[in-house]
Structure formats: C-alpha cells, structure tokens
Amino acid sequence: MFLRRSLMIIRNAVNSNCQKLKTGHNISLIENLRSLPARRHLTIAAARESLKDLVGGSQKLIGASNGTEKVELAYIAESQEELPVRSMSDSYSELVIPLSDVAARQKYLNPSMMGIRFGRILEDLDTFSVYVSYKHTVVDRSKKAGISIVTALVDRIEKQAEIVPDVDISMTGNVTWAGKSSMEVTTTLQQKVDSGTHTILVAKFLMVARNPATKKSAVICGLKPQNPEEEKIYDLGNASKLRRQEEANKNLLKTHPSEEEREMIHQKFLQTLDPNFQTFRQRVKPDNTVWMEETILKNLHICFPEARNLYNKIFGGYLMRKAYELAWANTALFCSSRNITVRVVDDIAFLKSVEIRSLLLMSSQVVYTQDKDIQVHVHAEVIDPDLGSRSTSNNFHFTFRCHEPTIPDVMPKTYAEYMLYLDGKRHFES
C-alpha cells in the first residue's frame, strides 16, 4: 500500500509538472528543456550513443589496440559542498521508444504473443535511469564524467496497462531523491492512443555513484525540492530508504519468521501429512497443488562482450531481460498457458558486477501463489570454472497473472522452501 501511494503521488506530480510546462508556469523546467532542444525527443537508442560520449570509461575492442590517447576526466569532488545543488527539473528527461518505426520495432516484437517483449523495456528503463542520473551529476560538460553510475536496486516497477505494439512510448523521469552517493530515479512510460494518453508503468530505480580509481562511492550533487509537491516526492524517497532498511533487518536470512508466519507454515505443513499414518515422514501432496521443488527452471549464459555496458561489465538491463524471460517461461509452464502478463517487478538487487566471460547461472522457481497471481523468484550466480567458485550477483522478484480459469497452488516441502514461500508472500503483499 505504501508503494502504491508513493507511485500515485509521483504520477500526480508528473501530470502537474506536464501541465505547468504547457501553461508556462514552470519557468526553470522550460529553460532547461530549451537549452537541450535535441534531447527532448531523443530516442532511447540515441541516448545510449550520447552516453558513450559522456562517460569516462570506454568499451574495449577485442583484438584492437587501446591506443595511447588519454581522456581528460572531470574532477571528482570529495564533498557535496564542492558541488552545486540540483532541482528535480535539472534532471528531467524525455526519451522515445519509437515503436511506430517498423525497423526500430523489430527487436521489441514478441511474435508468439503478438505483443512487445517486456524484457526489452526493462533494458531501456535501466539505460534511461543512467541517462537521468548523469544529467543530475555532471557538472563540467566540457570533459568526460569522472564518476561511474551503476544500478544498485530496482525498487519497484508496477505495470498498469498493456503496450500497444505500433505506438511510440514516451519515457519521462527525473531524480526524485538524492543522498550523498545514491539517488532515486522515477520513470513514467506512457502512450498516446485514440482514447487519450495512458500510463504503462511507473518505475523506481536506485542508482549509485562510484569512483573508478578507488572503487569506492563518490559524492553527487544534492537535491533541493522547489515546491510543496516536490517536497512530498522527496519525503517519499526518504521514507523508501527507511523502509528498505527496515525490510533488510527483517530479512529471513538474518532473522526468524514472525509468530503469524510460523503459525501459517505449520498449518501448511500439516496439510501435507498423510492422515492414515501417525508420522511426520509420510508426506502427501494436497489436491490442485504442485510441489515447489518441481517448479525449478534454470538456464546458463556465457557472458560475451556484446552484452557489456559502458564500463566493460555485463549490462544490468541485459541481466534483467534474461531473468524476466526465464521467469516468464517458468510461469507459462506452471500455468500450462502463454496467456499470462507481468504485474510487478520488485526489489531487484544488484549485489555484484558480472564480468565478461563469466558463466552466469539463473535459477527460477515459483515460490508463492494466490488466486491467479504467481510470484517467481530468480537467483543469479556467477560461476568461475577455473577456481570452482560461485557467488550471487542478483536476486529478482516477478509477479505474474495467469488468465486461465484455474491454476494450481505451489506447496513447499522443506524448511528452505517454506522460507522461500514466506519471502515470496512478503514481496507479493508489499
């Protein structure tokens, strides 16, 4: 409920700002957009290219000499007092996903569903968040950015409407909260159709700044709200930070379930006992259920350079797309139907960067069901075959809805599966 209320306030603010722009009241925002006329209708593909010119890092070409030319980088401040304070309008950006262009539309099409590949939209959201973050942080535009901007967390993406396959998508957003080295980017995706403009989704990304030389956090420009509406948005960003800290303290990897949760899993455990045997060892599967252990679906990716980002690591948007597509396939198998839609992408944590040439193992599992909604968890880990080591890079959480008359419930069997069930329930209800 908290996040839904947050998104509602942000949507109202976006609509309000758009109206102000039309009527001429938001002078600072108009001046900012006028100073960058070419970027106002920039496509997401063109924005990716512009980031290559802005970012200090460069993509290394395999088999080519890196050259001896040194790039002059902008100064990296040691404190926020050295940097200007920004307003929300300073980072406000508008980009277009040109689905009306037949050639540009090809990579987005999902022929099996006669729609748009949502995984591609996730990639674009990640790029847009980086683009907005650099607009907030860059001070000296005559030099390449000295800091690196990376995605730390996808707080929440709540899908509200289906995408019309041949209509351009408008991406608008800005930095809505900023700390010392991290910032929240809120993005709205909309399409203009015959019935008017409808909102596809609202997304919240948490971005962090890094000093490439020290591998530590880098300070960024502060953010100052300019009116009561922006103060509400900024306060929601602070509240989101506190909520994340509280949820981290309640993480089931750190602490035990609540009393209510313990009672619930005990009752579910009792449902799996055979009444004909007075023992805990004889387990039976209740009607219209599937054992959770039978819902695992995995794949493995060799991370090649074409999936790299501006810093020669694997692009976070690529990881999100691959995780989403695996989760979608698992949900389709669970429902025995392609007639499913994604509702929420929640709490995607980027714990470790993924290097080129890594072996990336993704494991998906249906962890919670309620009515026609299905919660899928995807765990991503990097495997080093030379060292025999494994480490977690990401955790992904997706909520899908199946549009078939009935679907089975998922049933845990082991204690670890019950913890996955509770974690899935928490994400579903957040």
Side-chain angles (χ1 to χ4, degrees):
M1 290 299 293
F2 169 78
L3 285 174
R4 291 190 180 94
R5 183 170 60 86
S6 303
L7 296 175
M8 185 177 297
I9 292 177
I10 291 171
R11 284 197 297 271
N12 291 340
V14 169
N15 293 334
S16 174
N17 281 339
C18 290
Q19 185 60 38
K20 289 175 182 177
L21 180 60
K22 293 176 183 177
T23 56
H25 294 311
N26 197 336
I27 303 301
S28 62
L29 179 57
I30 291 175
E31 291 173 349
N32 265 289
L33 294 177
R34 282 178 177 170
S35 67
L36 296 170
R39 293 187 181 183
R40 191 172 183 185
H41 301 292
L42 205 65
T43 66
I44 188 67
R48 285 195 181 96
E49 293 303 313
S50 71
L51 283 172
K52 293 179 183 179
D53 296 329
L54 175 65
V55 176
S58 61
Q59 292 184 327
K60 299 175 183 178
L61 299 178
I62 297 174
S65 172
N66 293 328
T68 58
E69 182 182 355
K70 290 187 177 181
V71 177
E72 186 178 7
L73 302 179
Y75 169 71
I76 299 178
E78 296 182 0
S79 68
Q80 282 190 316
E81 285 71 23
E82 302 177 51
L83 298 170
V85 177
R86 301 294 196 193
S87 65
M88 291 187 186
S89 63
D90 288 334
S91 61
Y92 180 82
S93 303
E94 296 182 38
L95 297 180
V96 173
I97 303 176
L99 296 183
S100 62
D101 183 287
V102 176
R105 187 165 66 230
Q106 296 307 301
K107 79 169 188 175
Y108 293 93
L109 289 176
N110 181 357
S112 66
M113 293 296 293
M114 301 302 292
I116 295 299
R117 296 170 60 184
F118 188 70
R120 290 294 189 188
I121 302 300
L122 293 176
E123 288 183 326
D124 290 347
L125 285 169
D126 195 40
T127 297
F128 184 79
S129 297
V130 173
Y131 181 82
V132 169
S133 298
Y134 273 113
K135 286 189 70 173
H136 177 85
T137 57
V138 170
V139 176
D140 185 356
R141 294 185 179 274
S142 66
K143 301 175 182 177
K144 287 185 176 288
I147 63 173
S148 301
I149 302 291
V150 296
T151 306
L153 176 74
V154 179
D155 199 353
R156 189 174 181 88
I157 301 172
E158 191 163 343
K159 195 157 174 274
Q160 302 172 28
E162 291 304 308
I163 300 172
V164 180
D166 57 354
V167 176
D168 289 349
I169 296 176
S170 169
M171 309 180 77
T172 59
N174 56 281
V175 173
T176 50
W177 175 87
K180 185 177 180 181
S181 62
S182 60
M183 66 203 104
E184 178 189 80
V185 176
T186 301
T187 304
T188 302
L189 266 57
Q190 295 180 316
Q191 283 183 311
K192 291 184 178 180
V193 293
D194 293 339
S195 58
T197 300
H198 69 249
T199 299
I200 299 167
L201 59 80
V202 177
K204 299 176 74 173
F205 280 59
L206 186 67
M207 315 299 290
V208 294
R210 290 285 182 262
N211 185 327
T214 64
K215 309 299 182 184
K216 296 181 180 179
S217 60
V219 295
I220 61 172
C221 300
L223 181 66
K224 183 178 180 180
Q226 302 297 308
N227 54 54
E229 195 76 46
E230 291 186 356
E231 288 178 359
K232 289 180 182 179
I233 295 172
Y234 191 85
D235 289 343
L236 287 173
N238 275 324
S240 294
K241 178 183 177 181
L242 295 175
R243 172 183 53 78
R244 288 192 295 268
Q245 293 173 344
E246 183 180 352
E247 289 176 351
N249 292 332
K250 294 180 180 179
N251 191 304
L252 291 169
L253 292 172
K254 298 179 180 179
T255 186
H256 56 73
S258 67
E259 183 63 35
E260 181 182 352
E261 289 173 332
R262 290 198 292 267
E263 174 64 23
M264 182 189 66
I265 63 176
H266 183 68
Q267 291 301 321
K268 292 194 75 67
F269 171 74
L270 294 179
Q271 293 175 24
T272 67
L273 298 182
D274 191 331
N276 297 319
F277 296 87
Q278 294 297 312
T279 177
F280 293 123
R281 296 182 178 179
Q282 193 70 24
R283 308 288 292 278
V284 294
K285 183 169 64 69
D287 293 339
N288 195 36
T289 63
V290 176
W291 289 122
M292 187 182 290
E293 64 184 11
E294 297 175 359
T295 69
I296 297 175
L297 185 64
K298 300 182 180 183
N299 60 19
L300 186 139
H301 305 277
I302 304 175
C303 297
F304 291 111
E306 57 260 37
R308 62 187 165 174
N309 61 16
L310 297 169
Y311 322 114
N312 294 293
K313 310 293 184 182
I314 297 302
F315 174 42
Y318 171 85
L319 300 176
M320 285 194 287
R321 174 167 66 87
K322 289 300 184 181
Y324 167 78
E325 290 170 352
L326 178 63
W328 185 93
N330 199 349
T331 304
L333 292 173
F334 183 81
C335 298
S336 300
S337 172
R338 295 175 184 263
N339 192 17
I340 56 177
T341 53
V342 64
R343 292 187 57 222
V344 176
V345 180
D346 179 42
D347 194 21
I348 297 179
F350 290 81
L351 306 175
K352 179 182 179 180
S353 61
V354 179
E355 303 289 339
I356 296 171
R357 74 185 286 271
S358 296
L359 299 183
L360 182 68
L361 177 65
M362 288 188 167
S363 305
S364 68
Q365 192 166 19
V366 176
V367 294
Y368 181 75
T369 51
Q370 181 173 306
D371 298 326
K372 295 186 179 183
D373 291 326
I374 301 161
Q375 190 73 26
V376 181
H377 171 252
V378 179
H379 176 258
E381 57 182 318
V382 174
I383 303 174
D384 188 325
D386 300 317
L387 301 176
S389 62
R390 303 164 78 111
S391 57
T392 298
S393 61
N394 303 84
N395 281 294
F396 305 85
H397 303 273
F398 302 97
T399 305
F400 293 91
R401 174 160 292 174
C402 181
H403 301 284
E404 297 298 328
T406 59
I407 63 169
D409 290 326
V410 69
M411 181 61 68
K413 184 182 287 185
T414 67
Y415 186 81
E417 289 176 351
Y418 277 112
M419 295 302 99
L420 284 171
Y421 183 89
L422 291 179
D423 187 58
K425 184 175 185 291
R426 289 180 178 185
H427 280 95
F428 177 79
E429 294 177 346
S430 65

